[in-house]
Amino acid sequence: MSNAKFKLNAICMAMLVSSANVYAQQASVNNDESDVEVINVTGIRSALSKSASIKQESSGVVDAISAEDIGKLPDTNLAESLQRISGVSIDRANNEGNKVTVRGFGPDFNLVTLNGRQMPNSSALQSAGVSRSFNFREIASESVSGVSVFKTGKANVASGGIGATIDISTAKPFDYEGFKAFASAKGVYDTSVETGSNITPEISGMISQTFADGKFGVLLSASHSERDSGRDRVGTSSGWVRNRANPDGVDASAINATNNPTGAYWVPWTPEIERFDTERERQNAQLVLQFAPNDRIEATLDYTMSRFEETSYTNKQAFWFDNPAGVADENGTLVNITNANDELNFWAWERYEKKENDSVGFNIKWQATDSLNLTFDAHDSTSHSNPDGQTAETLANLKNPSGSVASIGADFSGDIPSITVDDSGLAGGAYNPDNIVSDLYQLRGYEMENNIKQYQLNGKWENIEDGALAAINFGAMYTDYQVDTYLSERFSFVDIPLDDLGLTFSPLGDFADQFSGSKSLFPFIPKYDASRFVDIVKEQGLFRAPDVTTNGVGEKTTALYVSFDFRTEFNDFPIDLNVGVRYEDTDVSAYSVQPGIIALNYRHAEELRAFFDDTATAQELDGNYTRILPNLDFSMELTGDVKTRFSYSRTLARAGIGAMFPATRIDARPEGPFNASQGNPNLLPITSDNFDLSLEWYDVDGSYASIGYFKKFVENFIGAGVEKRAINDVNGNPLRDPSITPREGCPDSSDTPNPACLSQAADPIVIFDVATPDNLQNREVDGWELNAQYMFADTGFGAVANYTLVDSDESFDPYDFDQTIALTGLSDSGNVVGFYENEKLQVRVAYNWRDEFLLSLGTEPTFTEAYGQWDLSVNYDINETFTVYVDGLNLTDETVRRHGRFDEQLISAEQYGPRFSFGISGKW
């Protein structure tokens, strides 16, 4: 495995490089202009000097990057750029950043705003769930003029981020004088492509003009990008399950009884290989109109949109361990598993995501007096996934006849499993189409609409006389947050002819060749279309439309704030002080609409399905909470170039949307597991008391060094409490298991349930593991941020680096089998960047590294292993107008590996390949 496990003791902040061919924009939230200074910059050194100035002059802990920076790095989106900031790390999907973690707090603990406005989010894939977290892959970096990362809370900054509030700023026509234009065109060469185009286009542009002596302004920006990509994956499905195998078939003699006294062991459901081929299109655009009738009033009307469409075609080769046996290692992982008399599975999968994001906003600034400024801001923003109702995920499976393969097996002792198949009993083998039959199809996914209406009134009084009190900031905000989800689901076993399916098999070739053991996988991978399979199901008259479950959450939040800025001296040491408080009151309402459960239906040897009545009923629950959020920011200049600062703030992150749906969901199989889940609309927000202390040194040439310590005391941490209990049917009677003593004719997968296969009074009561989210525990998180930036005199060379260490009072213990709470995303991270520039040429090499972290924690954990990546950017200015550039991403073809409770419990091993882009940009 070529995954670099590189660790640095003190490497600095990689603030992003800039160029002269785009515009500088002040990054601010709620017009807090005193925190971020506007400096027009050109070149790498000037951009880094600006970054240092922003950090030095800000109130609290604020890092910012500008469009010049983003445009000059080999970054596919904003997440890739943000990871260069100390304390910020990212999650990757399809070899690009999509969500961010700040100081160990994952995407759901960070708030993303656009021009100070909270933005909605929607998702289509069931695996993505319902999340508040913003997906950065949906916005092009070219359309952004600046990003500010507020790591400490402030009274005038919208709540919702414990890790940070990340504000994205876009340009306005009054940022420029007269006519300005920018255009860029590039080709993206993706080495992972097998189906589609190796080179795809990306174009972007901006045009801005002011009229009538600067009283009117119009700005239009737009971008379009296409990307084809591929991915090789080796892994398992549905995780590793504790004590699933028949104990008589498990050799547990090597288990270390000290660490694992109960002798627990783990088995996966499947080993599998997958090939993904993905097509994506993305459009971003913004229209901004501004009017300033005089020097005291400025009005802005803006419309921002994004369109995102992605289709992924997947083929998967696998088998299912129905009756596994094997040898456990010292931890209890069955590393060498066999299963007699089984069959192979041949999957096809199509994933379709379409998102339409629209935001209309209005802002008016009024300089009421020389000392009083008032701002009103309103926006109505919507994110709508799969608005045309198209199914997000279509699955189909083929298989050998049940029990026709003599033996299957997998050895998980390496990075990826070694697969063994004994198909000697099948004439022509398991891959002969004559030995393959249909199995099932599945349809699932969300249509989701998230709307946010937000109104803000902000004021600032500045003291134009002498005195320590410099300014008073005050304001009010009302936010109406509504999300409605429509989950479609259908799972059906079918028997159809396969003559017209077009099934073929492809040798693996160089599949996953960056992992050792890639030649010991399956010999072939199937090729056919899931949609064609479903078409045949329809032609045979066996198709059943998906069932739809409706859930929603509404939040109405009223906020008031006031803060005071002081500037004074103590014993000739200049002091800045900001003291503020924010009051918030939130009303929560959640609803679910679903039919009642009549019984469990024994449809298949591997399926117990809930059988519903024909009447859908609504269930509604309400909640309310009020929070007081104070903050204090203190900074002192010890010398002209040395500064120290202290900050305290209380911040909050609201409960996940999916955790609040009242509906009950059941996932059961004959002989277990019997899992169920139910939401909790009365979840309280997670609150954190945050402390920051730092010492910083700045030089006039842009060099600087800093060391910062942070501590967070987190309350009401949400975890999944699991209760063993029965679940009642619509008549108030407990659900029973019809598979224990099956009646004649069962299981029966007929569309119309066989009454004999439904729960009856004589069947045993099912005891479910019912997971319900709750505010369970408190946590403490602390860490260090180390930064250094150095310019080597007038040589043109420079280096920047950072390293972040994060720790918690309670990390995940793999030998605590009952642990249900742990902080996901907690990991150390670092960056190192070297650059050279002269009047024409700019070159930068960047390395980003993130240590292993807990990705998710359900019944069993998933860890993402340490990952490091090299990127390269080269720019050459042909003249004052045109620049050509080449960027490289993941130059050394690093891979991603995820595992379960222990390293041997492979979840996913993924290989993407390097990606390059080359293009030209111009400014006028």
Side-chain angles (χ1 to χ4, degrees), residues 258-571:
T258 301
N259 295 330
N260 185 355
T262 63
Y265 53 86
W266 287 264
V267 182
W269 288 109
T270 69
E272 58 196 24
I273 60 172
E274 287 184 276
R275 173 63 192 180
F276 294 78
D277 294 295
T278 303
E279 304 168 352
R280 186 187 75 189
E281 287 191 11
R282 180 184 66 200
Q283 293 88 32
N284 294 101
Q286 185 176 53
L287 175 65
V288 184
L289 307 176
Q290 285 191 292
F291 173 56
N294 53 53
D295 59 1
R296 288 186 174 272
I297 296 177
E298 179 181 291
T300 303
L301 179 66
D302 58 83
Y303 168 67
T304 305
M305 62 81 73
S306 68
R307 299 292 183 265
F308 180 91
E309 189 169 6
E310 183 174 274
T311 305
S312 182
Y313 303 92
T314 305
N315 288 108
K316 176 165 68 175
Q317 180 66 64
F319 52 70
W320 193 274
F321 286 127
D322 291 304
N323 188 25
V327 179
D329 66 8
E330 63 176 356
N331 293 319
T333 302
L334 265 66
V335 292
N336 198 340
I337 309 170
T338 59
N339 199 131
N341 303 320
D342 216 303
E343 62 272 347
L344 303 188
N345 299 111
F346 313 93
W347 291 88
W349 210 307
E350 293 182 14
R351 297 171 175 87
Y352 175 76
E353 294 181 80
K354 182 178 181 180
K355 289 191 182 182
E356 297 181 353
N357 301 321
D358 298 275
S359 177
V360 177
F362 175 74
N363 180 283
I364 185 167
K365 300 177 182 179
W366 178 34
Q367 187 71 44
T369 69
D370 291 342
S371 58
L372 179 62
N373 178 278
L374 299 174
T375 302
F376 173 76
D377 188 273
H379 77 100
D380 187 338
S381 304
T382 299
S383 179
H384 197 170
S385 65
N386 286 20
D388 52 8
Q390 184 169 339
T391 300
E393 294 180 79
T394 302
L395 295 74
N397 184 45
L398 314 176
K399 65 174 187 176
N400 304 123
S402 297
S404 61
V405 174
S407 177
I408 56 176
D411 184 343
F412 286 91
S413 58
D415 283 340
I416 57 177
S418 175
I419 304 297
T420 57
V421 176
D422 181 1
D423 58 354
S424 58
L426 279 172
Y431 296 94
N432 187 331
D434 294 336
N435 295 326
I436 296 174
V437 298
S438 65
D439 185 27
L440 62 87
Y441 77 94
Q442 186 173 1
L443 307 174
R444 66 190 187 195
Y446 286 106
E447 177 184 354
M448 188 182 305
E449 187 169 11
N450 183 194
N451 175 258
I452 298 177
K453 296 181 179 68
Q454 195 168 55
Y455 309 92
Q456 305 180 56
L457 179 62
N458 303 293
K460 184 171 186 176
W461 174 84
E462 293 184 280
N463 185 2
I464 58 178
E465 306 293 339
D466 294 334
L469 178 61
I472 301 175
N473 307 281
F474 57 92
M477 176 186 290
Y478 176 78
T479 304
D480 185 351
Y481 180 101
Q482 180 67 42
V483 59
D484 301 289
T485 70
Y486 310 92
L487 177 61
S488 301
E489 294 178 291
R490 170 60 59 198
F491 184 102
S492 293
F493 291 98
V494 291
D495 183 5
I496 61 172
L498 303 180
D499 299 336
D500 297 329
L501 184 60
L503 172 66
T504 61
F505 290 92
S506 297
L508 294 194
D510 59 357
F511 181 92
D513 61 354
Q514 294 299 304
F515 294 96
S516 60
S518 62
K519 301 303 181 183
S520 299
L521 298 168
F522 296 93
F524 304 103
I525 195 165
K527 296 290 184 181
Y528 70 97
D529 294 333
S531 58
R532 178 57 190 149
F533 185 98
V534 174
D535 287 342
I536 297 175
V537 172
K538 293 177 180 177
E539 294 167 4
Q540 296 294 310
L542 300 175
F543 180 79
R544 295 185 64 196
D547 295 323
V548 178
T549 303
T550 303
N551 295 281
V553 168
E555 293 176 336
K556 299 182 187 299
T557 300
T558 301
L560 302 171
Y561 76 86
V562 63
S563 66
F564 303 87
D565 295 327
F566 297 92
R567 293 189 180 95
T568 185
E569 291 185 354
F570 176 75
N571 288 342

Side-chain angles (χ1 to χ4, degrees), residues 847-859:
Y847 180 77
N848 173 264
W849 175 85
R850 184 178 185 183
D851 203 356
E852 179 174 285
F853 64 94
L854 178 65
L855 177 66
S856 62
L857 177 60
T859 306

